[in-house]
Amino acid sequence: MKLDEDVIHIRKVLSGDTNAFRYFVRTYQEMGYSIAVSILKHESDAKDVVQNAFIRAYKCLHTFKRDAKFSTWFYRIVVNEALKHLRRDKKNKEITNFKGDTAKNTVVFNEMVAHFDHNDDKAKIDRVLRLMKPKEALVLKLHYLHEAPIVEIEKITGFTKSNVKVLLHRARKSFQALFIQT
Amino acid sequence: MDTTDKNIRKVLSHYETNFELGMEEEVIRGIGRQKGYGALRFRFKGKVKFGILLTTVLGIVHFLLIYFGCWGNPNSKDLDLHTYLPSIYGAMLIVVLYAMLFFKLESLKKSDSQISKAKYKPLN
């Protein structure tokens, strides 16, 4: 089980085995990157942020409380680093606001998904997520890709429960609208 | 779970999450750099602390000598502290400044990734 493996590797790293930290990089780099890129919308920035997050996690591993999952703790570091980076560097962020009737969008979206061609539309999903607002894209990814419940999203992002719910609601609406428009 | 929710889940299940990042080596290298930097800081912190402590002790001794009238006793022929103390202070100050400057230069060098990569030795 992943949780047990996490604990074993945490013990190894804390006892001085730096190479044991490779396990965490291998296991969590992709989701960490996915989270960072949803906030920053920029590949190389996201990669830098995830690397910094790993180094920070290594340095602060002794402060990690075992009652939480390592993934939750690490993704929180990624989110904090990414938001810090976003505040520092507000360059060229292409974010689109969706237009039109949201009720109508839902009907059209559901029809489109029925004829969804998986192979052709992989790039489309990526485009839609890039056009979404950072926090909405983040919450959407955490909920649907990471399968995180609201409580875990609260812990990862530091947002309040009601804030997460509002963001998730808006994220669904904008995802549908942007999926139709792009 | 409503239809829209199911459909979003269905669409996102095809989202490409295999990014082929391969950042394992870079992260371990970064950790190695951090360790080196930490060790260097610890070593120079010790030197600076020792310098400051020694200067403080000498300062206190100097003050006590003046306060209790032991300073410049005409009968004392052992040591002319007027001559030696300022140079001892100066030397201590130079030690502290040297250590601080060296630490600063070393940390600047460490932050240069190219030099750090060349000096990098694998851990364990």
Side-chain angles (χ1 to χ4, degrees), chain A residues 16 18-19 21-22 25-26 29-30 33 47 50-51 54-55 58-59 106 109-110 113 116 118 122 125-126 129 141 144-145 147 172 175-176 179, chain B residues 3-28 30-35 120 123-124:
Chain A
T18 311
N19 278 316
F21 198 74
R22 287 174 189 272
V25 182
R26 276 196 301 269
Q29 62 178 346
E30 284 180 346
Y33 174 79
K47 209 173 166 184
V50 177
Q51 277 179 21
F54 273 121
I55 293 169
Y58 176 84
K59 277 167 73 181
T106 306
F109 173 74
N110 288 336
V113 174
F116 181 61
H118 303 148
K122 273 182 183 173
I125 302 168
D126 195 47
L129 287 168
K141 271 190 183 176
Y144 290 104
L145 289 174
E147 308 265 330
R172 283 194 194 108
F175 183 81
Q176 286 173 43
F179 191 83
Chain B
T3 320
T4 310
D5 205 47
K6 277 182 191 166
N7 282 337
I8 293 174
R9 201 173 291 277
K10 186 181 165 187
V11 171
L12 285 175
S13 67
H14 300 286
Y15 175 67
E16 192 67 61
T17 51
N18 189 15
F19 298 110
E20 291 175 12
L21 298 162
M23 55 173 73
E24 207 176 309
E25 289 306 322
E26 283 175 67
V27 170
I28 297 297
I31 289 169
R33 272 205 295 276
Q34 286 287 325
K35 271 187 164 181
Y120 169 69
L123 295 153
N124 298 324

Side-chain angles (χ1 to χ4, degrees), chain B residues 14-84:
Chain B
H14 300 286
Y15 175 67
E16 192 67 61
T17 51
N18 189 15
F19 298 110
E20 291 175 12
L21 298 162
M23 55 173 73
E24 207 176 309
E25 289 306 322
E26 283 175 67
V27 170
I28 297 297
R29 203 177 295 139
I31 289 169
R33 272 205 295 276
Q34 286 287 325
K35 271 187 164 181
Y37 176 77
L40 194 78
R41 195 172 61 174
F42 181 77
R43 216 168 66 222
F44 282 98
K45 235 179 176 179
K47 281 190 182 177
V48 172
K49 267 185 189 169
F50 176 73
I52 290 169
L53 191 75
L54 205 60
T55 312
T56 314
V57 168
L58 284 170
I60 291 166
V61 170
H62 191 187
F63 171 77
L64 289 175
L65 285 172
I66 294 167
Y67 189 79
F68 290 110
C70 308
W71 192 258
N73 186 352
N75 299 325
S76 170
K77 288 171 187 172
D78 301 335
L79 261 177
D80 190 358
L81 288 173
H82 282 292
T83 315
Y84 292 108

Side-chain angles (χ1 to χ4, degrees), chain A residues 21-83:
Chain A
F21 198 74
R22 287 174 189 272
Y23 160 81
F24 295 107
V25 182
R26 276 196 301 269
T27 314
Y28 298 107
Q29 62 178 346
E30 284 180 346
M31 193 60 203
Y33 174 79
S34 175
I35 287 171
V37 91
S38 65
I39 297 171
L40 298 167
K41 322 277 182 194
H42 197 274
E43 285 91 353
S44 61
D45 286 354
K47 209 173 166 184
D48 286 348
V49 159
V50 177
Q51 277 179 21
N52 288 341
F54 273 121
I55 293 169
R56 185 170 276 262
Y58 176 84
K59 277 167 73 181
C60 304
L61 198 63
H62 63 281
T63 64
F64 169 64
K65 291 178 186 118
R66 313 270 168 93
D67 51 353
K69 282 198 279 183
F70 177 84
S71 58
T72 308
W73 181 73
F74 173 66
Y75 297 150
R76 177 71 185 261
I77 297 174
V78 174
V79 169
N80 286 343
E81 287 280 315
L83 290 175

Side-chain angles (χ1 to χ4, degrees), chain A residues 10 15 17 30 50 65 87 95 115 120 123 159 168-169:
Chain A
I10 286 168
S15 63
D17 181 5
E30 284 180 346
V50 177
K65 291 178 186 118
R87 277 194 293 272
I95 294 159
H115 308 289
D120 293 345
F159 305 150
L168 196 57
H169 177 73

